[in-house]
Amino acid sequence: MLKQIAVYLENKKGKAAECCKIIKDQDINIEAMSIADTQDFGILRLITSNNEKALAALKANNFIANIVELVGVEIPNQPGALAILLKELDEDNINIEYLYSFANDNGQAQIGFKTDDIEKAAALLKSRGVKTI
Amino acid sequence: MANRYFNKEIETMSHSEKEVLQSERLVKMVKYVYDRVKPYREKMDAIKLKPSDIKSIKDIYKLPYTLKHDLRENYPFGMMAVPRKDLVRLHASSATTGKLTVAGYTQKDIDVWAECGARSLVMAGASENSVVHIAYGYGLFTGGLGIHYAAEKLGAVAVPVSSGNTARQIQLLKDFEADIICCTPSYAIYLAEQMQLMGIEIGKDIKLTGGLFGAEAWTDGMRKEIEQRLGLKARDIYGLSEIAGPGVACDCEFETGLHFQDDHYFPEIVDKDTLEPIGYDAEGELVITTLTKEGMPLIRYRTRDIASLSNAPCPCGRTSVKLNRVTGRSDDMLIIRGVNVFPSQVESTLLEFEGVEPHYHINVDRINNLDTMEIVVELSPSVKIDEVKTIEIMRKELAAKIASSISVSAKITLVSPGSIERSEHKAKRVTDLRKLK
Ligand SMILES: [Zn+2]
């Protein structure tokens, strides 16, 4: 399973930047990042080179943060690959709460997504021959 | 069958007899303080009021008010009406400013206080056969010692456990088979939770039947919860350290308001802005005059508590004036869209809500001629959030709880732990921007 850190950001300018700086100061790389934003607040989601250490640093700075497991899959770096994956998930009645994509060191496209039952989702994808991470 | 009254003659006295008694006592009291307490003499001289101008309880409104400020100015002994050798006890309470206020008691004052406490214990169903578990703090605070002397006066067994050490509290409640418990409402709920965790059976291991709870603001919801979880009848007891601790007023099983021990403490309600006396059944600031106190008598003491008084008869047969539940203090009260709101009500809702801490700040503003209220509250460090909807659901649920508690809708803003400023003394909980406009 893929692990990410989710951080609650109250709507204060600079909170996301502050969060990234805390992680950078620990010599931790941010490998992927997405922000879910509303009018009043946001949730920052991060995959880093050392999630445990990043989490401890954030908590020490009074951020509300926790580690959340995602389903991670690797998809061929070609047009339409993501669409195929999404269609398969839909056929299996797997509801995606949120999703983000990033590239690994070899330039391979990777997808991380959140769903109700990540174990079940990962097993179904595996049985369809999708490479999970 | 438990006693119905501790002092039937006084507690069921007719209104006309009570008025005669109160008048005699007030006339005597005014002369007493004029002769013995310089600040009272100065205040009366300043408005050319002579003790002889006070002929009955109906003249009480002529007397000047006494403020907490007067007690601080004359700290420690300037408000005492007897030489220090005649005092037998001093209690003190901390004020918001960090300064103490002190109250001195003579032996007779202690006896009167114990009598009023004993009347309250009887309202909670206690008798001379009772075991009274006292989990109020003992010390300068009046709670523990106040109920202690009341239990002894009643002839019951006082168990002076004081506060803290919950495991031992539960052990003693079991072993001594206490039927009456006295503590703060929030501690009663905590005790119930701990008992549940320890697998204690209410009714079998714990045989409580009644309790006196006070010294902090609580809601009817908390009363029901305490009654249900501890299997007892919860009575609301009122007191304040300047006048006397617990026992100044207490409600009976009919819950028609708190029976005010008005043979010793005379209550009035005054408009909190104009300070004009207002009648029964209207809300205002509670003002109390001690009618019999020797050590530190207080004349028309402004309590800052918001309440109303009722003169309606009570099925229990007690004839005293009744105090409605004190929901807040006039120096904290906010009026939002015409509704009285107390930060303490917001606080008790936050305390019950999972996922937030009782660290909060209230912002009030007026936008397009409409009052708006925002409650900024800290999330608990342990909450797990990775989706927007988690926060949205929490805000919606908390907003609904707040609306049902204070009858005003508020915007909820959830902030990170440590965002709200901490204060060593009483925190500043409210920013009212309407005042700046
Ligand atoms: Zn009654």
Side-chain angles (χ1 to χ4, degrees), chain B residues 252 259 314 316:
Chain B
C252 70
H259 287 288
C314 182
C316 75

Side-chain angles (χ1 to χ4, degrees), chain B residues 240-348:
Chain B
L240 62 170
S241 65
E242 303 94 307
I243 301 281
V248 172
C250 182
D251 65 1
C252 70
E253 76 258 41
F254 297 101
E255 295 179 13
T256 56
L258 281 68
H259 287 288
F260 218 96
Q261 304 302 347
D262 54 6
D263 53 326
H264 294 295
Y265 313 111
F266 186 82
E268 295 171 84
I269 298 291
V270 301
D271 185 286
K272 67 179 183 57
D273 298 318
T274 66
L275 300 182
E276 287 299 316
I278 47 182
Y280 294 117
D281 305 313
E283 232 172 57
E285 182 174 342
L286 175 65
V287 170
I288 303 174
T289 299
T290 63
L291 295 176
T292 55
K293 216 170 169 201
E294 295 178 336
M296 195 179 88
L298 289 176
I299 303 295
R300 302 194 85 202
Y301 181 67
R302 287 181 54 191
T303 64
R304 299 279 172 179
D305 285 328
I306 297 293
S308 66
L309 292 173
S310 158
N311 205 22
C314 182
C316 75
R318 290 179 182 84
T319 50
S320 80
V321 155
K322 287 162 290 146
L323 178 75
N324 87 337
R325 293 284 286 275
V326 176
T327 49
R329 296 175 73 85
S330 69
D331 33 7
D332 297 338
M333 192 180 82
L334 292 163
I335 300 177
I336 297 168
R337 282 169 244 153
V339 180
N340 294 350
V341 172
F342 295 97
S344 56
Q345 295 170 294
V346 171
E347 186 165 323
S348 49

Side-chain angles (χ1 to χ4, degrees), chain B residues 37 68 83 332 414:
Chain B
V37 187
K68 191 151 202 156
D332 297 338
L414 300 170

Side-chain angles (χ1 to χ4, degrees), chain A residues 8 10 40 45 66 98 114, chain B residues 385-387 395 414 416:
Chain A
Y8 176 70
E10 47 201 88
D40 295 324
R45 305 184 186 110
N66 62 114
Y98 56 83
K114 172 75 185 294
Chain B
I385 293 156
D386 71 315
E387 290 174 40
R395 287 175 66 184
L414 300 170
S416 304

